[in-house]
Amino acid sequence: MIWKANRAKSKIARRLLKKELKGKRDLESRCRALTKSLYNTADDKQRLRLLIRDWGFALPMASAILAVCWPEEFTVYDYRVRDQIESFPKLNTGNFDKLWEHYEEYRASVSKLVPKKISLRDKDRYLYGKSNALQLKNDIRQSFNVSVE
């Protein structure tokens, strides 16, 4: 989780520690309970639902966790990657079934944009890198918004 949002690691730890789990008082046992529940869940949709509804993760972090565990089935939902997909809307978690439907569209778009035979996880890394490169070019073109007198 730290690689996705290092700034949020203490917030995530607090969330995990607040969840009521019998006999699981420390962070390690709670993380093990989380991963065990993911592996015991039957399908992709239910895994995402579990992280969002039962554990309280937002889509970006939930998809990052799943992309690490199942890199062929999940891609990280990230605004930089989303911005590489023409006219793709921001996803809202209010209605989980609708969120899942849009996440599937997002996943298909990521796969289609990078037609190389690489994992879905590597495809989102490619698009993330492309976004960073475009941002850097733009920053250089604008001299990082620094005026020289």
Side-chain angles (χ1 to χ4, degrees):
M1 294 177 197
I2 291 170
W3 68 266
K4 173 64 177 139
N6 186 45
R7 70 196 176 283
K9 63 186 169 211
S10 56
K11 181 180 175 183
I12 292 166
R14 281 192 298 275
R15 177 180 298 125
L16 292 171
L17 289 168
K18 283 182 181 177
K19 182 157 175 65
E20 289 189 38
L21 292 172
K22 290 183 181 182
K24 311 246 187 277
R25 299 179 90 62
D26 62 284
L27 191 56
E28 182 177 348
S29 64
R30 287 164 181 266
C31 288
R32 288 183 186 278
L34 168 62
T35 55
K36 184 177 180 180
S37 64
L38 285 173
Y39 279 96
N40 289 333
T41 301
D43 62 46
D44 293 344
K45 182 178 180 180
Q46 296 312 314
R47 286 184 180 111
L48 187 61
R49 182 189 308 270
L50 178 93
L51 287 173
I52 291 174
R53 293 290 159 97
D54 295 354
W55 290 86
F57 289 101
L59 178 61
M61 183 58 73
S63 64
I65 293 166
L66 294 169
V68 167
C69 298
W70 291 275
E72 297 297 330
E73 288 83 20
F74 287 95
T75 184
V76 179
Y77 178 77
D78 185 276
Y79 73 92
R80 290 162 287 237
V81 174
R82 185 196 68 230
D83 290 348
Q84 296 297 307
I85 304 169
E86 190 174 322
S87 303
F88 202 87
K90 292 181 181 179
L91 300 183
N92 184 345
T93 59
N95 175 328
F96 180 80
D97 289 325
K98 193 167 207 73
L99 173 72
W100 174 253
E101 180 181 314
H102 287 144
Y103 177 75
E104 284 186 304
E105 292 170 16
Y106 174 83
R107 183 169 59 177
S109 296
V110 167
S111 189
K112 203 178 293 180
L113 272 174
V114 186
K116 299 175 186 175
K117 291 186 178 187
I118 56 176
S119 73
L120 191 52
R121 175 66 185 113
D122 285 338
K123 288 179 181 195
D124 73 48
R125 279 191 265 233
Y126 173 87
L127 293 171
Y128 180 90
K130 184 177 175 183
S131 172
N132 282 339
L134 290 171
Q135 181 182 0
L136 180 58
K137 284 180 184 179
N138 189 41
D139 288 343
I140 291 168
R141 190 173 22 260
Q142 296 176 7
S143 299
F144 294 90
N145 292 320
V146 175
S147 60
V148 179
E149 294 180 30

